[in-house]
Amino acid sequence: MKLSKEIKTAVFVIVSILLFIFGFNFLKGTSILDKKKTIYAIYNEVDGLMVGASVSVKGLAIGNVVSLDFLPNSTNILVTLKVKDKLRFSPNSIATLYESGLIGGIAISIDPVFESGNIVKSGDTLRSVIKPGLTELINEQIQPLQRNLQSILISIDTLFTGVTNIMN
């Protein structure tokens, strides 16, 4: 049986469209074939967290951030996460927002709590924590040094004022 050119062209176009869809989702970091759960975390602030940021457990990527939005009548931010369906941790687990590198990328790490019979379901909300980043830790260390430096500069200014008075 011989296929006409129109049928060959139609099959080629359909296969091309399917490959494009799979490739596009692969580059986005999502897969059409993997089942995923949608879970939520609520934060006061999300300094630089972006849609598509990695969600990990113990350093292993298990999903990504799907959306960021304000809660109704609040300034808190609702973060929607898509994670692999295979994971069996409790809804009492903690979603920690942390700085993933020196360049300033922000990601979410889930600290899993394992409880028998209590498994996170799609739609559950995890407790959330913000881990201080490198710049915040450096600022905490520099503040006492800055206060000491200010008092030294005031003392030096007083000393130079006294020397100037004596010289006059």
Side-chain angles (χ1 to χ4, degrees):
M1 178 175 162
K2 207 167 195 195
L3 296 174
S4 68
K5 287 184 181 181
E6 290 84 10
I7 292 176
K8 288 179 185 178
T9 305
V11 169
F12 176 74
V13 168
I14 291 171
V15 168
S16 298
I17 290 172
L18 290 175
L19 284 174
F20 175 77
I21 291 170
F22 275 107
F24 184 74
N25 284 317
F26 175 75
L27 291 175
K28 273 191 347 184
T30 60
S31 174
I32 295 174
L33 303 176
D34 283 344
K35 291 187 179 186
K36 300 233 176 179
K37 294 179 193 175
T38 303
I39 56 177
Y40 303 97
I42 299 171
Y43 295 97
N44 294 331
E45 58 180 299
V46 290
D47 273 341
L49 182 68
M50 299 183 74
V51 171
S54 178
V55 177
S56 63
V57 171
K58 305 234 181 227
L60 179 65
I62 59 160
N64 56 2
V65 175
V66 177
S67 71
L68 304 163
D69 203 6
F70 286 106
L71 284 173
N73 302 322
S74 174
T75 58
N76 291 335
I77 299 164
L78 178 68
V79 179
T80 307
L81 314 169
K82 287 267 189 185
V83 296
K84 292 180 181 176
D85 192 37
K86 298 176 191 173
L87 298 169
R88 304 281 182 218
F89 55 86
S90 166
N92 296 325
S93 300
I94 300 171
T96 305
L97 186 72
Y98 72 99
E99 203 172 291
S100 63
L102 294 175
I103 298 173
I106 306 292
I108 295 179
S109 174
I110 296 177
D111 300 323
V113 174
F114 297 102
E115 296 174 353
S116 60
N118 194 9
I119 298 171
V120 70
K121 297 180 291 288
S122 194
D124 285 346
T125 302
L126 301 180
R127 290 186 297 146
S128 57
V129 173
I130 299 175
K131 185 177 176 182
L134 183 63
T135 52
E136 293 160 356
L137 293 174
I138 289 173
N139 284 340
E140 287 176 9
Q141 296 294 323
I142 288 179
Q143 283 178 352
L145 182 64
Q146 180 183 5
R147 276 179 273 175
N148 289 341
L149 191 60
Q150 250 179 343
S151 66
I152 289 172
L153 288 175
I154 290 171
S155 299
I156 290 174
D157 184 48
T158 306
L159 177 68
F160 280 132
T161 303
V163 169
T164 304
N165 289 338
I166 291 173
M167 296 300 264
N168 287 339

